[in-house]
Amino acid sequence: MNDCLFCKIIDGSIPTKKLYEDDICVAFNDSNPQAPTHFLVVPKKHLASAVEITDDDATMVGHIFAVISLLTQIFGISDGYRVVTNCGAKAGQSVQHLHFHVLAGKELGSFN
Ligand code: AMP
Ligand code: ZN
């Protein structure tokens, strides 16, 4: 995707300090953090959002949650964190490449 911000971060054309990278996904800090710890885990495969996930992506999605678990243990937040994926403009999605927010370090409260 030529015009996709996260594809450009993944391919290095927008230099970004990566917290983690493997063949399937990357993680980097959110540039507008909403909590003391706020990073994004992003598949290298371009999907516009969670609505495009199919059974073919099961391994990728499972792997991303395993990476999230690993990173939360490394960063010492495994006792309390939130994973969010916004899907569509009505849900506040601003970057049209599937990504998972990981937030921690403050009282996150419950959803209403
Ligand atoms: P969403 O609104 O759910 O689509 O989340 C997109 C997130 O990407 C927002 O929290 C932004 O702060 C974040 N973001 C936008 N541009 C960058 C960037 N260049 N590096 C890191 N995070 C970014
Ligand atoms: Zn993309």
Side-chain angles (χ1 to χ4, degrees), residues 48-87:
S49 75
V51 78
E52 293 193 351
I53 293 171
T54 71
D55 280 344
D56 289 345
D57 301 306
T59 299
M60 176 267 279
V61 174
H63 177 73
I64 282 177
F65 275 85
V67 168
I68 289 170
S69 175
L70 174 69
L71 293 178
T72 61
Q73 291 171 68
I74 290 171
F75 298 146
I77 58 167
S78 60
D79 60 333
Y81 63 93
R82 177 170 291 165
V83 181
V84 173
T85 188
N86 295 319
C87 189

Side-chain angles (χ1 to χ4, degrees), residues 5-6 9 28-32 38 40 86 92-95 99 101:
L5 173 66
F6 286 174
I9 289 175
F28 50 87
N29 282 319
D30 195 293
S31 59
N32 182 25
H38 183 179
L40 304 173
N86 295 319
Q93 185 182 5
S94 60
V95 177
H99 54 281
H101 297 257

